[in-house]
Amino acid sequence: MVRWAEDDQVAKQVLADLSAELDAERSVRDAEPHVSELLYCLTRSFYQRRRPLPPTPNESLIFLLGMRLEDVLLRPHKQHKSGLTEGILWEADWLDYADLGEFKTTRLSAKKGGGELPDTWVKQILSYMYVTGKTEAVLAVLHLLGNYSPPFPMLRAWRMYATAEEVKDNWLVMQYRREVFEQHLKKNVPPKQFEWNEPWECDNCRYLLICQGNQAVEDLSPQLEQSIRLVKSDGD
């Protein structure tokens, strides 16, 4: 009879190789901030540049799964266009099906409508609209678990329309975040934890313990200062 024995060492080695590939994909960073750095947690983006840690297993698997699926599914129809606009680097997906397109993979349920998709996706596409001078784009979404009944992959596509004002307002926010990010890079001081991110971004983040430690120190500082003052006053 066939027997099975789980081999944790092999699993760890495969995961280490995947993590190394992920690091290689992300290792090249130009001096200017990238759209993706500014969209998400600025504290994390700072650490990624200045004090990088190895990715967590969940980060590696989720990112590589989406990246490789995108490569396979859209290889015949997709090309990247990139550039530098007003101090911000960008790289947009362009599909044969539309002038401007973006492809995403997600574990979100396919039951969600266009208005329920992540806000960061909207901001990303609005940013690409600004740099390409467009107000319309296509978003293709591969829901890895479909609508969960049963959990089977499902592909949906959305056409996104925006006003010129919405596009401009979003870019102004991106410029503000760029200024904040560059100031902290120049000072070599991370942006304050938990102020430049959405709460869900902390899930599985490799820098969470650092942020929690920094926050604990900040929370204790007033108490420490008060204790020091009391000690000094007793000494007087």
Side-chain angles (χ1 to χ4, degrees), residues 7-25 53-61 64 206:
D7 194 325
D8 291 337
Q9 293 304 313
V10 172
K12 289 178 181 178
Q13 184 59 54
V14 171
L15 191 56
D17 291 342
L18 291 173
S19 297
E21 183 176 351
L22 174 58
D23 279 342
E25 292 279 351
L53 293 175
T56 66
N58 283 347
E59 281 182 314
S60 298
L61 292 172
L64 285 167
R206 71 189 83 168

Side-chain angles (χ1 to χ4, degrees), residues 138 150 163 195:
V138 167
T163 65
E195 285 195 1

Side-chain angles (χ1 to χ4, degrees), residues 61-150:
L61 292 172
I62 291 171
F63 183 82
L64 285 167
L65 175 62
M67 185 170 59
R68 291 301 172 241
L69 280 173
E70 184 177 344
D71 288 344
V72 172
L73 290 173
L74 293 180
R75 186 181 296 133
H77 307 284
K78 178 182 172 185
Q79 58 180 315
H80 286 290
K81 288 194 176 182
S82 59
L84 174 65
T85 302
E86 299 173 15
I88 298 178
L89 286 165
W90 55 272
E91 184 178 14
D93 296 340
W94 288 65
L95 310 178
D96 289 347
Y97 314 116
D99 288 337
L100 175 59
E102 181 68 19
F103 180 80
K104 296 290 187 184
T105 57
T106 181
R107 290 170 294 165
L108 292 173
S109 171
K111 294 178 181 178
K112 291 186 177 295
E116 299 175 280
L117 296 175
D119 191 48
T120 47
W121 294 4
V122 177
K123 293 175 181 177
Q124 182 179 9
I125 296 173
L126 286 171
S127 298
Y128 295 158
M129 286 180 175
Y130 181 88
V131 300
T132 57
K134 298 182 181 298
T135 56
E136 179 182 343
V138 167
L139 172 64
V141 183
L142 176 60
H143 296 269
L144 296 174
L145 300 177
N147 59 11
Y148 287 81
S149 55

